[in-house]
Amino acid sequence: MNFTVDGKAAYAYTANHDVDPQKRTAVFIHGAGLDHSSFALQSRYFGYHGWNVLAVDLPAHGRSAGPALTSVPAMSDWLLRLLDAAKVSRAALVGHSMGSLIAADCAARHADRVERIALVGTGYPMKVSEAFLGAAQRNEYTAYDMSTIWGHAPQVPLGGNPNPGMWMYGDAQARLERLAPGVLYADLKACNDFALSGSVQCPALFILGRRDVMTPVRAAKQLQDAIPGAKTVLVDYSGHTLMAEAPDATLDALIEFLNSGSGS
Amino acid sequence: MAGPKYPGFDTLALHAGQSPDPATGSRAVPIYATTSYVFRDTEHAASLFNMERAGHVYSRISNPTVAVLEERMAALEGGVGAIATASGQAALHLAIATLMGAGSHVVSSGSLYGGSHNLLAYTLKRFGIETTFINPRSLDDWKRAIRPNTRVLFAETLGNPGLDVLDIPGVAAIAHQNKVPLLVDSTFTTPYLLKPFAHGADLVYHSATKFLGGHGIAIGGVLIDSGRFDWEASGKFDTLSAPYSGFHDMDFEEESGTRAFLLRARREGLRDFGACMAPMTAFQILQGIETLHVRMPRHVDSTRKIVHFLAQHGAVAKVIYPELPDHPDFSLCKQLLPNGAGAVFTFEIKGGRSAGKAFIESLRIFSHLANVGDAKSLVIHPATTTHYRMTDEDLKKAGITAGTVRLSIGLEDPQDLMDDLDRALKISQK
C-alpha cells in the first residue's frame, strides 16, 4: 500500500488488506539493505490471520523514495509518521537486524505507540567492522559479498533452502544490487552508531540463530539483560537471515509471542 | 582486506541445494518418489496453500529432489532460484507464458534449435504471440525489430547449429533500454563455460538433457531467474506486477520483488500447464551435474583436437567453430568464452547431400541421433532432421546447407574419434 510520509512516497506491504481500525497491527521492519519482502512469509501469515500488517520499505529501500535516513532514531521517527499516515496509533513491532534496533528505539522513546517488540537476529551495540563499513562507503561490491555471506549461516550455500528451488545467496545479492549507491553504507553506519536512549518496558522477544555470524547470539546479551522479562527463542541451524533460513521456526515464535498479548 | 569467499563452482556442483538428509543421513540426494505431502494439521495446510509457509504440497508444484536440482542450478548460474521442467522446450514455454499473453511480441534470433523456432514461429502464433526472427549478429536488427508490445528478446548463447556467439552485453543493453528482459538458451555452453547473468542476461534456461545430464538418459529442462530485472519499474509486465485473480489478487512483484518471476512461474505455470520434472529425472540430472566441471574441459579439449583435424582434412570444405580465426565471432568468443566454445560444431562435407549420407552411415563410434551433449559422440544432418521444418530461407539464416554435418564431441579417446571420422570421410568421397 502506498503512503506519503514527509511529502515522499512510502510503501508498506499489507497482504492485500486495508488497515482495519478494529484489528491489532504488526509492523515488520527490514534490515540493512533489504526491503519488505524479507518478511514475505511471516507478514503474509499475520495479514491473513486477523492482523493488520505493515511490512515497510524504509526510505530508499524497495518501493519507498529516498534519500536514505542516516540514523536509527531518524528511521524510528519516520516509522511513526508512517503509522500516523496509516492511522495506526499503536502497534507490535517486529524488526530484523537494523530493523530490530528501530523497534527497540521506538519502544524506548515512544512507549505509548509500541505494544510489544520482537527482535530477530539482533545485537547491541551493533558494531560493524571497519572493512565492511569501508567497502560500503566506497560502494564496492565486496560490501554486498560481506552482507550476503555473513548474513547467512555457513551451511547455507551448501544446504537446502526451505523455500523450494530458491538460492538464498542469489536473492540477497539481487536485492542489494537494487540499492542506490550509498544506501547500504547509510544503513550500516546507522547500526554502528546507534545508542539506545531510555529503556524498553514493553514485552520483548528475541529470536536468534545459533549460527548467526553477523550478530552472534552473545551479541544480544546486553540488550536482553536490559529489557525486563524479555524472552528468547534460539533457532538451531539458522544464521542471521532467520526469516528465510528458518521461516517456520521464526513464524511459530512470532505467532506465540504476538498472539499472547491483548493489544492494550 | 580480502572479502569473504564464496564456494567455488566445483564445490557448488557437488553440494549446492542439499545437506545430508535429516531423516536418514543419506549423503546422496534421496529420490522423493511421492506425489504429495502430509500436512501437520488443517492450519498448516491452509498456510502452505496461501504461501504463508515454505514447503511442499504436491509434486507438480515442487518436490524435494527436484528442488535440489533447482537450487543447485541457481547457485551455478548465480540466480535467485530456478524451476525444473519436463524438458528444455517446457522451460522455454514456461518463460514466455509467464512473461506475456496474447497480443505480445518476441524478438528472437533466427539461429535457433528447430524445436524452439517451431514453437515461436507457428505454435505460439496460434495463441496470439508473434515473433520476429532476426540475424543475431546485427545489433541494429535487434533494435529495429522491437515493438511497443515486445516483451522479451531471446537467443541461444551459441546459435544452433551455426554457432553464432551471442553478444550478450550488447543485446542485453538493447533489451534494458527498451525495458524488457533478455532470455537466453545456454544449453550449449552450460554454466561451466559461460554465466550469462554476469554479462547482462536476465533469464537463462537449459535443456538439461544435454551436457548437464551428460549421460543421455533423461529429458529435462531448467529455467533460472537472475532476479535483477525490475518488473515494476518496467511497467510492461502485468503478469508480474498487477493483481492476479488466479491467486487471491496477488501482485507477485509486490509480494516478493526479486522472486516475482519464479513465484508466478511456479504458482501459475507449473500449476496450470503442469510440465514439471519427475524426481527420478532430477536425480539422474544431478548425477551429471556433479561431474560437469570434470567433463566440460575434456569435451572442449577433444573438440579442439577434432576441429583442428577436420580443418586440415581434404574431404572437408569448411569447419564452423567460434575458436577458429575465420569464424565471424572469433573475437567475441575470446571475450565471452575463454574456457572454450563448447563441444558442438558443424562442418561442410565436400560432395553435398549424398556425401553427407555416406559419411554418416559409415561412422562406427559416432551415433547418428537427434541429441547433443552426451558423453558419447554424436552426429546428425540438420537439414533433414532437427531443422527439417524450416524453410530454405530460414535454413540459410541459420547457417545451414544441404552439406552441413553437426558433431557433438563426447568423452571417448579423441584419437579413436579422429580415426572414425577419417575413415567415414574417405568413404564419403568415393
mmCIF file of all heavy atoms in Angstrom, chain B residues 148-177:
data_model
loop_
_atom_site.group_PDB
_atom_site.id
_atom_site.type_symbol
_atom_site.label_atom_id
_atom_site.label_comp_id
_atom_site.label_asym_id
_atom_site.label_seq_id
_atom_site.Cartn_x
_atom_site.Cartn_y
_atom_site.Cartn_z
ATOM 1 N N PRO B 148 6.236 -1.795 -29.536
ATOM 2 C CA PRO B 148 5.693 -1.448 -28.202
ATOM 3 C C PRO B 148 5.213 -2.665 -27.418
ATOM 4 O O PRO B 148 5.238 -2.657 -26.181
ATOM 5 C CB PRO B 148 4.524 -0.512 -28.533
ATOM 6 C CG PRO B 148 4.887 0.077 -29.857
ATOM 7 C CD PRO B 148 5.607 -1.006 -30.605
ATOM 8 N N ASN B 149 4.771 -3.715 -28.131
ATOM 9 C CA ASN B 149 4.261 -4.895 -27.416
ATOM 10 C C ASN B 149 5.309 -6.003 -27.255
ATOM 11 O O ASN B 149 4.986 -7.110 -26.844
ATOM 12 C CB ASN B 149 3.019 -5.451 -28.116
ATOM 13 C CG ASN B 149 3.304 -5.923 -29.532
ATOM 14 O OD1 ASN B 149 4.271 -5.479 -30.153
ATOM 15 N ND2 ASN B 149 2.467 -6.806 -30.041
ATOM 16 N N THR B 150 6.562 -5.684 -27.551
ATOM 17 C CA THR B 150 7.627 -6.677 -27.343
ATOM 18 C C THR B 150 7.826 -6.888 -25.841
ATOM 19 O O THR B 150 7.874 -5.939 -25.064
ATOM 20 C CB THR B 150 8.947 -6.189 -27.981
ATOM 21 O OG1 THR B 150 8.744 -6.021 -29.383
ATOM 22 C CG2 THR B 150 10.064 -7.196 -27.742
ATOM 23 N N ARG B 151 7.935 -8.152 -25.470
ATOM 24 C CA ARG B 151 8.068 -8.461 -24.038
ATOM 25 C C ARG B 151 9.342 -9.227 -23.693
ATOM 26 O O ARG B 151 9.660 -9.391 -22.515
ATOM 27 C CB ARG B 151 6.852 -9.272 -23.562
ATOM 28 C CG ARG B 151 5.553 -8.465 -23.556
ATOM 29 C CD ARG B 151 5.615 -7.342 -22.530
ATOM 30 N NE ARG B 151 4.444 -6.483 -22.579
ATOM 31 C CZ ARG B 151 4.363 -5.359 -23.293
ATOM 32 N NH1 ARG B 151 5.408 -4.943 -24.002
ATOM 33 N NH2 ARG B 151 3.268 -4.637 -23.294
ATOM 34 N N VAL B 152 10.069 -9.710 -24.694
ATOM 35 C CA VAL B 152 11.331 -10.390 -24.393
ATOM 36 C C VAL B 152 12.184 -10.442 -25.650
ATOM 37 O O VAL B 152 11.656 -10.487 -26.766
ATOM 38 C CB VAL B 152 11.076 -11.818 -23.843
ATOM 39 C CG1 VAL B 152 10.613 -12.781 -24.926
ATOM 40 C CG2 VAL B 152 12.307 -12.382 -23.139
ATOM 41 N N LEU B 153 13.505 -10.391 -25.455
ATOM 42 C CA LEU B 153 14.456 -10.699 -26.514
ATOM 43 C C LEU B 153 15.016 -12.081 -26.203
ATOM 44 O O LEU B 153 15.308 -12.379 -25.038
ATOM 45 C CB LEU B 153 15.586 -9.669 -26.587
ATOM 46 C CG LEU B 153 15.203 -8.189 -26.698
ATOM 47 C CD1 LEU B 153 16.434 -7.358 -27.050
ATOM 48 C CD2 LEU B 153 14.115 -7.941 -27.720
ATOM 49 N N PHE B 154 15.171 -12.894 -27.232
ATOM 50 C CA PHE B 154 15.535 -14.293 -26.993
ATOM 51 C C PHE B 154 16.579 -14.778 -27.996
ATOM 52 O O PHE B 154 16.475 -14.492 -29.191
ATOM 53 C CB PHE B 154 14.273 -15.173 -27.099
ATOM 54 C CG PHE B 154 14.567 -16.643 -27.136
ATOM 55 C CD1 PHE B 154 15.283 -17.252 -26.109
ATOM 56 C CD2 PHE B 154 14.147 -17.424 -28.203
ATOM 57 C CE1 PHE B 154 15.573 -18.606 -26.151
ATOM 58 C CE2 PHE B 154 14.427 -18.789 -28.252
ATOM 59 C CZ PHE B 154 15.142 -19.381 -27.216
ATOM 60 N N ALA B 155 17.557 -15.512 -27.484
ATOM 61 C CA ALA B 155 18.571 -16.112 -28.359
ATOM 62 C C ALA B 155 19.268 -17.244 -27.623
ATOM 63 O O ALA B 155 19.151 -17.381 -26.403
ATOM 64 C CB ALA B 155 19.596 -15.064 -28.782
ATOM 65 N N GLU B 156 20.008 -18.033 -28.388
ATOM 66 C CA GLU B 156 20.864 -19.063 -27.801
ATOM 67 C C GLU B 156 22.262 -18.482 -27.604
ATOM 68 O O GLU B 156 22.722 -17.686 -28.428
ATOM 69 C CB GLU B 156 20.912 -20.289 -28.722
ATOM 70 C CG GLU B 156 19.555 -20.965 -28.840
ATOM 71 C CD GLU B 156 19.521 -22.071 -29.891
ATOM 72 O OE1 GLU B 156 20.530 -22.276 -30.595
ATOM 73 O OE2 GLU B 156 18.463 -22.718 -30.019
ATOM 74 N N THR B 157 22.938 -18.897 -26.547
ATOM 75 C CA THR B 157 24.284 -18.362 -26.299
ATOM 76 C C THR B 157 25.225 -18.754 -27.431
ATOM 77 O O THR B 157 26.109 -17.987 -27.806
ATOM 78 C CB THR B 157 24.834 -18.871 -24.958
ATOM 79 O OG1 THR B 157 24.773 -20.308 -24.945
ATOM 80 C CG2 THR B 157 24.041 -18.303 -23.797
ATOM 81 N N LEU B 158 25.040 -19.956 -27.935
ATOM 82 C CA LEU B 158 25.716 -20.398 -29.159
ATOM 83 C C LEU B 158 24.619 -20.880 -30.086
ATOM 84 O O LEU B 158 23.952 -21.872 -29.803
ATOM 85 C CB LEU B 158 26.682 -21.549 -28.860
ATOM 86 C CG LEU B 158 28.054 -21.198 -28.298
ATOM 87 C CD1 LEU B 158 28.822 -22.456 -27.953
ATOM 88 C CD2 LEU B 158 28.851 -20.354 -29.290
ATOM 89 N N GLY B 159 24.395 -20.160 -31.169
ATOM 90 C CA GLY B 159 23.288 -20.486 -32.070
ATOM 91 C C GLY B 159 23.417 -21.887 -32.627
ATOM 92 O O GLY B 159 24.518 -22.378 -32.895
ATOM 93 N N ASN B 160 22.277 -22.534 -32.798
ATOM 94 C CA ASN B 160 22.233 -23.916 -33.241
ATOM 95 C C ASN B 160 21.730 -23.957 -34.680
ATOM 96 O O ASN B 160 20.617 -23.508 -34.934
ATOM 97 C CB ASN B 160 21.283 -24.684 -32.318
ATOM 98 C CG ASN B 160 21.208 -26.155 -32.609
ATOM 99 O OD1 ASN B 160 21.737 -26.626 -33.595
ATOM 100 N ND2 ASN B 160 20.524 -26.880 -31.741
ATOM 101 N N PRO B 161 22.485 -24.479 -35.633
ATOM 102 C CA PRO B 161 23.802 -25.103 -35.495
ATOM 103 C C PRO B 161 24.944 -24.236 -36.005
ATOM 104 O O PRO B 161 26.056 -24.715 -36.124
ATOM 105 C CB PRO B 161 23.663 -26.348 -36.356
ATOM 106 C CG PRO B 161 22.850 -25.866 -37.518
ATOM 107 C CD PRO B 161 21.905 -24.822 -36.956
ATOM 108 N N GLY B 162 24.677 -22.953 -36.320
ATOM 109 C CA GLY B 162 25.702 -22.101 -36.917
ATOM 110 C C GLY B 162 26.740 -21.590 -35.941
ATOM 111 O O GLY B 162 27.730 -20.993 -36.333
ATOM 112 N N LEU B 163 26.493 -21.814 -34.625
ATOM 113 C CA LEU B 163 27.418 -21.411 -33.565
ATOM 114 C C LEU B 163 27.711 -19.915 -33.573
ATOM 115 O O LEU B 163 28.839 -19.481 -33.386
ATOM 116 C CB LEU B 163 28.710 -22.218 -33.649
ATOM 117 C CG LEU B 163 28.518 -23.723 -33.459
ATOM 118 C CD1 LEU B 163 29.831 -24.447 -33.575
ATOM 119 C CD2 LEU B 163 27.872 -24.024 -32.113
ATOM 120 N N ASP B 164 26.652 -19.120 -33.784
ATOM 121 C CA ASP B 164 26.780 -17.679 -33.615
ATOM 122 C C ASP B 164 26.945 -17.423 -32.119
ATOM 123 O O ASP B 164 26.136 -17.886 -31.316
ATOM 124 C CB ASP B 164 25.514 -16.936 -34.062
ATOM 125 C CG ASP B 164 24.821 -17.593 -35.234
ATOM 126 O OD1 ASP B 164 24.374 -18.748 -35.083
ATOM 127 O OD2 ASP B 164 24.732 -16.953 -36.274
ATOM 128 N N VAL B 165 27.977 -16.683 -31.759
ATOM 129 C CA VAL B 165 28.171 -16.344 -30.344
ATOM 130 C C VAL B 165 27.317 -15.122 -30.052
ATOM 131 O O VAL B 165 27.468 -14.088 -30.713
ATOM 132 C CB VAL B 165 29.653 -16.040 -30.043
ATOM 133 C CG1 VAL B 165 29.835 -15.666 -28.575
ATOM 134 C CG2 VAL B 165 30.527 -17.237 -30.399
ATOM 135 N N LEU B 166 26.424 -15.258 -29.101
ATOM 136 C CA LEU B 166 25.536 -14.131 -28.808
ATOM 137 C C LEU B 166 26.300 -13.030 -28.081
ATOM 138 O O LEU B 166 26.957 -13.282 -27.071
ATOM 139 C CB LEU B 166 24.361 -14.597 -27.932
ATOM 140 C CG LEU B 166 23.342 -13.505 -27.611
ATOM 141 C CD1 LEU B 166 22.608 -13.051 -28.868
ATOM 142 C CD2 LEU B 166 22.346 -13.982 -26.555
ATOM 143 N N ASP B 167 26.169 -11.812 -28.588
ATOM 144 C CA ASP B 167 26.759 -10.646 -27.918
ATOM 145 C C ASP B 167 25.842 -10.293 -26.744
ATOM 146 O O ASP B 167 25.019 -9.381 -26.822
ATOM 147 C CB ASP B 167 26.867 -9.486 -28.916
ATOM 148 C CG ASP B 167 27.466 -8.233 -28.272
ATOM 149 O OD1 ASP B 167 27.772 -8.257 -27.059
ATOM 150 O OD2 ASP B 167 27.614 -7.231 -29.003
ATOM 151 N N ILE B 168 25.985 -11.035 -25.663
ATOM 152 C CA ILE B 168 25.058 -10.860 -24.534
ATOM 153 C C ILE B 168 25.095 -9.431 -23.990
ATOM 154 O O ILE B 168 24.032 -8.825 -23.789
ATOM 155 C CB ILE B 168 25.334 -11.897 -23.426
ATOM 156 C CG1 ILE B 168 25.130 -13.318 -23.978
ATOM 157 C CG2 ILE B 168 24.411 -11.679 -22.231
ATOM 158 C CD1 ILE B 168 25.508 -14.418 -22.998
ATOM 159 N N PRO B 169 26.282 -8.848 -23.756
ATOM 160 C CA PRO B 169 26.260 -7.465 -23.240
ATOM 161 C C PRO B 169 25.550 -6.496 -24.190
ATOM 162 O O PRO B 169 24.789 -5.627 -23.738
ATOM 163 C CB PRO B 169 27.748 -7.119 -23.087
ATOM 164 C CG PRO B 169 28.445 -8.432 -22.977
ATOM 165 C CD PRO B 169 27.653 -9.377 -23.839
ATOM 166 N N GLY B 170 25.792 -6.643 -25.494
ATOM 167 C CA GLY B 170 25.181 -5.730 -26.461
ATOM 168 C C GLY B 170 23.677 -5.907 -26.551
ATOM 169 O O GLY B 170 22.917 -4.925 -26.546
ATOM 170 N N VAL B 171 23.222 -7.152 -26.626
ATOM 171 C CA VAL B 171 21.776 -7.391 -26.756
ATOM 172 C C VAL B 171 21.062 -7.078 -25.434
ATOM 173 O O VAL B 171 19.944 -6.546 -25.434
ATOM 174 C CB VAL B 171 21.505 -8.846 -27.210
ATOM 175 C CG1 VAL B 171 20.010 -9.106 -27.314
ATOM 176 C CG2 VAL B 171 22.187 -9.117 -28.553
ATOM 177 N N ALA B 172 21.719 -7.380 -24.315
ATOM 178 C CA ALA B 172 21.106 -7.062 -23.012
ATOM 179 C C ALA B 172 20.909 -5.557 -22.869
ATOM 180 O O ALA B 172 19.887 -5.105 -22.344
ATOM 181 C CB ALA B 172 21.970 -7.604 -21.876
ATOM 182 N N ALA B 173 21.882 -4.797 -23.338
ATOM 183 C CA ALA B 173 21.756 -3.332 -23.231
ATOM 184 C C ALA B 173 20.557 -2.847 -24.040
ATOM 185 O O ALA B 173 19.794 -1.977 -23.582
ATOM 186 C CB ALA B 173 23.040 -2.668 -23.714
ATOM 187 N N ILE B 174 20.370 -3.422 -25.219
ATOM 188 C CA ILE B 174 19.213 -3.033 -26.045
ATOM 189 C C ILE B 174 17.912 -3.437 -25.340
ATOM 190 O O ILE B 174 16.945 -2.662 -25.288
ATOM 191 C CB ILE B 174 19.315 -3.698 -27.434
ATOM 192 C CG1 ILE B 174 20.506 -3.112 -28.192
ATOM 193 C CG2 ILE B 174 18.020 -3.531 -28.213
ATOM 194 C CD1 ILE B 174 20.885 -3.897 -29.440
ATOM 195 N N ALA B 175 17.905 -4.628 -24.793
ATOM 196 C CA ALA B 175 16.706 -5.087 -24.078
ATOM 197 C C ALA B 175 16.371 -4.138 -22.931
ATOM 198 O O ALA B 175 15.214 -3.705 -22.773
ATOM 199 C CB ALA B 175 16.929 -6.503 -23.547
ATOM 200 N N HIS B 176 17.372 -3.803 -22.157
ATOM 201 C CA HIS B 176 17.114 -2.986 -20.962
ATOM 202 C C HIS B 176 16.747 -1.551 -21.321
ATOM 203 O O HIS B 176 15.959 -0.920 -20.615
ATOM 204 C CB HIS B 176 18.326 -3.044 -20.032
ATOM 205 C CG HIS B 176 18.604 -4.436 -19.543
ATOM 206 N ND1 HIS B 176 19.817 -4.841 -19.058
ATOM 207 C CD2 HIS B 176 17.799 -5.536 -19.500
ATOM 208 C CE1 HIS B 176 19.750 -6.125 -18.722
ATOM 209 N NE2 HIS B 176 18.539 -6.567 -18.983
ATOM 210 N N GLN B 177 17.307 -1.045 -22.430
ATOM 211 C CA GLN B 177 16.889 0.294 -22.884
ATOM 212 C C GLN B 177 15.404 0.295 -23.230
ATOM 213 O O GLN B 177 14.728 1.317 -23.123
ATOM 214 C CB GLN B 177 17.702 0.701 -24.121
ATOM 215 C CG GLN B 177 19.118 1.155 -23.798
ATOM 216 C CD GLN B 177 20.045 1.062 -25.016
ATOM 217 O OE1 GLN B 177 19.587 0.885 -26.149
ATOM 218 N NE2 GLN B 177 21.345 1.173 -24.771
#
